[in-house]
Amino acid sequence: MTTTTATTPRPTPRLGRVEFTSLLAMSMALAALGIDLLLPAFGQIRADLGLAADSTAVAGLVTSYFLGLAAGQLFYGPVSDRYGRKPLMYVGFGVYAVGAIATALAPTLGLLLAARFLWGLGAAGPRAVTLAIVRDRFEGEQMSRAMSLIMAVFILVPVIAPSIGAIGVSLGSWRWLFVACAVAAVALTLWTARLTETLPPERRRQINARDLLGAMRTVCSNRVTVGYTVAMTSMYGAFTSYIASSEIVFGEVFDVGDAFPVFFGGLALVMGGAMLVNARIVERVGSRRLSHAALSAYILASGALVAVGVATGGVPPVAVFLVLMAVTLAGHALVIPNFNSMAMGPMGEVAGMASSVIGAVQVAVGALLGSLVDRAFDGTILPLASGFLLFGILAMVAARWADADLRADRRTGLRPAQTPTA
């Protein structure tokens, strides 16, 4: 007599905190990898495409990527609210790999720009879905702490990617760098199989015009979400300009192009350290208080950079530039995870849509603002420094507007209903 044993599907293992943080950080880092690995190759790309040695046309490879990154997020977030987070992570990794291979094969600047846009569409998936996953699991200061830890690991990519890119360019064609990015996407696809789905079926939303418009209305009518999204977008404008123009600033303004990977990686390391500090103290200090203090330091440092630039004809000593940029970028690193968390705080029921809208606006408008600064490059640091100062002031105004109801409630002794704790 034989007996049959019923088999049940083997559950996906729940990741520990370290592996969970590392996986989400590396998933977000794919977007950065598609930029930072490219920067040391700009000179070789200019030569291969027949462009002038000081041409800023290659900065379009960053801008088109950012535009794809922005447009894609409008798709992934709402669809992940319907079908869950993991399937959309897989879709994003697949499109990312295809875009990277297409970029490696593109023969002209026009096709390179189109392929970079496709690549950005793929990078949008992990970026948008990661933010929704974190909101599924955490709230308030705990979300700020989780985002800081994720971004601290994520920042390792800007630290090491330029050096890897420089080594790759010295050994062969820049096109092989993009093949490496596709391989990284495949590796993360396999790793994501270990991730437990964070959006249970009972919390999923239907995809129809009425529900989508309702979710969009929820996002766009919340003062906290809108205000902090505008603030992040302003700061992202300065940061994307720095990313796109840093290679030419170090090479043309300071004539230290050979040391670019070291300087760029060192400043990224400063940002990573600031994010680790944020993760350690945010629950004690409060995300609002900490981020507003950091933004004030950001504005002061960028103002000092403008003043030094004016006093030196736009070419200060490289050491002075590095110190002031380190303070500015550390402020950026302390602000962004907290502003992100505060913007997402009231959006628990529509986390996918919220992550899409916040991410799309931040990346698209930020990239366009950054491109305006890039076009103003005049062989000095003044356009970049002025961009940091102007966008920092705009961010402060937007953040203060977002908190207007909170300040009014404190004056009257009331507690706001939909504001993340500070």
Side-chain angles (χ1 to χ4, degrees):
M1 181 176 179
T2 61
T3 59
T4 58
T5 302
T7 60
T8 57
R10 189 174 181 180
T12 303
R14 184 179 180 87
L15 303 185
R17 179 184 292 270
V18 173
E19 188 178 0
F20 176 80
T21 299
S22 299
L23 172 58
L24 295 187
M26 291 298 101
S27 297
M28 285 190 68
L30 271 185
L33 187 67
I35 300 169
D36 299 326
L37 204 64
L38 172 73
L39 298 179
F42 273 1
Q44 196 179 93
I45 293 173
R46 290 188 189 100
D48 284 358
L49 298 179
L51 301 173
D54 61 349
S55 172
T56 60
V58 290
L61 297 176
V62 175
T63 302
S64 60
Y65 182 88
F66 275 128
L67 292 177
L69 186 62
Q73 291 184 74
L74 294 174
F75 165 80
Y76 291 102
V79 178
S80 77
D81 279 341
R82 172 65 182 89
Y83 295 105
R85 312 305 186 199
K86 284 182 67 173
L88 274 297
M89 289 280 275
Y90 291 138
V91 171
F93 291 143
V95 176
Y96 182 101
V98 171
I101 295 297
T103 304
L105 298 175
T108 65
L109 180 60
L111 290 175
L112 272 173
L113 294 174
R116 287 286 288 173
F117 180 81
L118 176 64
W119 192 346
L121 288 177
R127 191 183 192 284
V129 176
T130 291
L131 187 57
I133 289 173
V134 174
R135 183 59 187 87
D136 289 341
R137 291 275 300 269
F138 304 102
E139 294 184 19
E141 267 69 48
Q142 288 189 342
M143 184 179 177
S144 290
R145 183 175 186 274
M147 282 302 301
S148 293
L149 288 171
I150 288 170
M151 295 184 76
V153 178
F154 151 87
I155 211 70
L156 290 173
V157 170
V159 171
I160 64 175
S163 296
I164 294 174
I167 293 171
V169 168
S170 69
L171 295 177
S173 172
W174 54 271
R175 297 181 184 273
W176 286 105
L177 298 176
F178 302 154
V179 176
C181 291
V183 172
V186 172
L188 279 168
T189 300
L190 299 176
W191 191 4
T192 300
R194 289 181 47 78
L195 179 68
T196 303
E197 175 59 58
T198 60
L199 186 67
E202 63 271 16
R203 287 181 52 205
R204 297 180 186 180
R205 302 173 61 89
Q206 295 297 316
I207 296 181
N208 56 58
R210 181 178 178 181
D211 286 347
L212 289 176
L213 288 174
M216 180 72 77
R217 191 178 304 113
T218 298
V219 175
C220 296
S221 63
N222 187 281
R223 185 175 189 136
V224 171
T225 300
V226 171
Y228 280 112
T229 298
V230 172
M232 285 189 293
T233 300
S234 300
M235 298 183 71
Y236 206 74
F239 188 66
T240 56
S241 175
Y242 164 72
I243 294 294
S245 63
S246 56
E247 179 260 351
I248 199 167
V249 167
F250 282 110
E252 298 295 323
V253 177
F254 297 111
D255 195 26
V256 290
D258 291 343
F260 166 70
V262 175
F263 291 142
F264 188 84
L267 289 172
L269 199 60
V270 169
M271 295 180 69
M275 289 173 182
L276 287 175
V277 169
N278 186 75
R280 289 183 65 86
I281 68 175
V282 67
E283 291 186 82
R284 295 198 304 272
V285 178
S287 54
R288 181 172 287 102
R289 183 183 302 170
L290 179 58
S291 58
H292 282 247
L295 181 55
S296 297
Y298 174 102
I299 293 171
L300 289 174
S302 57
L305 191 59
V306 171
V308 169
V310 171
T312 59
V315 188
V318 66
V320 174
F321 175 77
L322 287 171
V323 169
L324 291 175
M325 281 300 300
V327 176
T328 303
L329 293 174
H332 181 92
L334 287 168
V335 167
I336 292 300
N338 295 312
F339 277 14
N340 237 320
S341 298
M342 288 188 284
M344 286 289 293
M347 298 290 115
E349 296 302 314
V350 289
M353 173 65 81
S355 68
S356 288
V357 173
I358 292 169
V361 171
Q362 180 182 339
V363 174
V365 179
L368 291 175
L369 291 175
S371 69
L372 295 177
V373 178
D374 294 339
R375 292 194 186 98
F377 178 71
D378 60 357
T380 75
I381 68 158
L382 284 173
L384 180 65
S386 300
F388 271 104
L389 177 60
L390 176 62
F391 294 145
I393 293 172
L394 181 57
M396 179 64 82
V397 171
R400 297 283 293 177
W401 177 81
D403 286 343
D405 290 343
L406 175 63
R407 293 195 300 275
D409 288 333
R410 283 176 174 169
R411 284 194 297 269
T412 58
L414 299 176
R415 183 176 180 83
Q418 273 195 317
T419 304
T421 58

